[in-house]
Amino acid sequence: MKNSLRDIFRLLRPRQWIKNFALYAALLFSGQLFNPNLFILTTYGFIIFCALSSSIYIINDIFDVEKDKIHPFKRFRPIAHNDVSVNVAVFLAAVLAFFAFIFSIIIDPAFFIIALVFFILHIAYSAYLKHIEIVDILTLAAGYMLRVFAGEVISNTHISAWLLLSVISISLFLAIGKRRSELTLLSHQPNQAGVLLSTRKTLSHYSDKLLDIYLSIFATSTFIAYSLFTFLENPLGLQFNFTFFPADAIGTYLQRKWLMVTIVPVAYGLMRYLQRIYEKHEGESPERVLFSDRPLLVSVVVWTILVVVLLYFLKA
């Protein structure tokens, strides 16, 4: 049945909502994660960005409906597959965007401005920017960074410069990984190469070696920036005393740099994600990779638990 609830729900792309958890970054690293008022406020922001994201994806599907119909995988999207009519899709996108903007301006005018920039940027990407090489990658990365900035504004907290550099680096890493996976798909679908290039013209401007260099640059910068962040960050949490060993035996370095432990799951996550791109030929959809790869998902969960414990329950 056309326009069924299941098809409409698929149209919203709920798996993509995981990207909006970036709004909690500032709250987490500022030591305010367990502040109920700020947590609720940030959750409102999360819901607003989920609505905006779904509206953007719907508009993108409307723009690309003819191209999606000839794509080997995207042809199963609700609009391209005629499971949801264009009129219903337009109405749904308009309603989601309208209520998202109304609630965002009620919460905070500055948050509304970031949400508006986020929306306009992605609409511009869907309509034009995704056809310009390099700019398409920068635009995708900007979407991740705007989510983090939105979290800062709505919670009135801040993240350090090194963590911001980490966010910028990993945003570019994920955006380039998406393009690298699409290019890999070309080489493994030779009979569909012409179709794939017609639906993503910028791929013709990238080569395997070029994207490999880009990936190497931003995987390295992510690792270095995050490592420096953990080294310079001083956890502000509950007091945890080492009663069995004197402070002199442990040393000031080890007492204050426990956050560096989280470098291990970050390094593993970067390496595992690269492995999925090159061996499994995935990465076009980061959230799909995360949910389908158990080791990668475990590394993210372990990293989250370690960060919470070290920032909130360990203070040397």
Side-chain angles (χ1 to χ4, degrees):
M1 181 183 296
K2 284 189 176 182
N3 306 328
S4 69
L5 291 178
R6 180 176 176 275
D7 292 324
I8 290 175
F9 187 68
R10 284 198 303 122
L11 184 64
L12 300 180
R13 298 197 208 177
R15 277 194 306 191
Q16 301 278 1
W17 294 345
I18 191 175
K19 299 174 183 177
N20 297 319
F21 278 106
L23 271 80
Y24 290 94
L27 197 65
L28 172 64
F29 287 101
S30 66
Q32 298 296 320
L33 184 63
F34 298 120
N35 183 317
N37 293 329
L38 292 182
F39 185 84
I40 292 173
L41 201 58
T42 304
T43 301
Y44 288 153
F46 171 82
I47 295 172
I48 287 170
F49 263 73
C50 287
L52 274 182
S53 299
S54 292
S55 177
I56 290 166
Y57 290 129
I58 293 172
I59 295 172
N60 180 73
D61 287 353
I62 294 172
F63 280 152
D64 291 347
V65 61
E66 295 303 323
K67 293 180 180 179
D68 287 349
K69 285 180 179 180
I70 60 174
H71 194 280
F73 306 116
K74 295 179 181 180
R75 60 191 177 91
F76 295 108
R77 287 178 175 176
I79 298 177
H81 201 248
N82 293 322
D83 295 321
V84 176
S85 68
V86 173
N87 290 336
V88 170
V90 170
F91 174 78
L92 185 58
V95 169
L96 288 171
F98 175 78
F99 282 104
F101 287 132
I102 290 295
F103 285 111
S104 64
I105 200 169
I106 291 173
I107 291 175
D108 188 288
F111 178 77
F112 164 75
I113 292 174
I114 294 178
L116 182 62
V117 171
F118 177 84
F119 184 80
I120 293 174
L121 181 67
H122 281 81
I123 296 303
Y125 172 82
S126 297
Y128 179 68
L129 296 180
K130 66 181 178 182
H131 303 302
I132 306 174
E133 64 273 15
I134 299 180
V135 173
D136 62 328
I137 292 175
L138 294 175
T139 305
L140 287 173
Y144 292 106
M145 290 181 281
L146 284 172
R147 290 176 172 95
V148 175
F149 290 140
E152 280 192 305
V153 169
I154 200 170
S155 62
N156 195 28
T157 56
H158 300 284
I159 60 176
S160 72
W162 284 110
L163 185 57
L164 179 59
L165 287 173
S166 302
V167 171
I168 294 172
S169 296
I170 198 168
S171 298
L172 288 164
F173 172 76
L174 292 174
I176 295 165
K178 179 180 176 68
R179 287 292 178 265
R180 184 64 178 84
S181 295
E182 291 171 340
L183 200 60
T184 301
L185 185 61
L186 282 177
S187 62
H188 288 81
Q189 298 280 341
N191 58 322
Q192 297 285 349
V195 172
L196 293 171
L197 282 174
S198 67
T199 58
R200 183 74 70 185
K201 295 181 180 179
T202 52
L203 290 178
S204 62
H205 297 283
Y206 296 120
S207 66
D208 291 347
K209 290 183 179 180
L210 178 63
L211 291 179
D212 290 344
I213 292 172
Y214 286 168
L215 277 175
S216 178
I217 290 172
F218 292 107
T220 303
S221 64
T222 299
F223 178 78
I224 293 175
Y226 183 78
S227 298
L228 286 170
F229 161 71
T230 61
F231 179 78
L232 297 171
E233 183 75 4
N234 185 24
L236 301 174
L238 300 177
Q239 183 70 36
F240 184 90
N241 295 315
F242 293 92
T243 57
F244 299 104
F245 300 97
D248 293 340
I250 300 174
T252 303
Y253 178 82
L254 288 180
Q255 280 187 309
R256 296 191 177 183
K257 307 302 177 184
W258 284 105
L259 199 60
M260 293 184 74
V261 173
T262 62
I263 294 174
V264 176
V266 169
Y268 177 85
L270 290 171
M271 296 167 71
R272 181 68 182 180
Y273 192 78
L274 286 170
Q275 183 181 23
R276 292 300 296 257
I277 290 176
Y278 286 102
E279 288 190 1
K280 304 293 184 179
H281 315 305
E282 297 175 351
E284 182 180 356
S285 178
E287 70 285 345
R288 183 180 293 116
V289 175
L290 177 62
F291 285 121
S292 64
D293 189 77
R294 184 174 296 177
L296 182 59
L297 183 59
V298 169
S299 71
V300 173
V301 172
V302 169
W303 174 82
T304 304
I305 293 173
L306 284 174
V307 168
V308 171
V309 170
L310 293 174
L311 286 180
Y312 292 86
F313 302 103
L314 174 61
K315 181 182 179 182

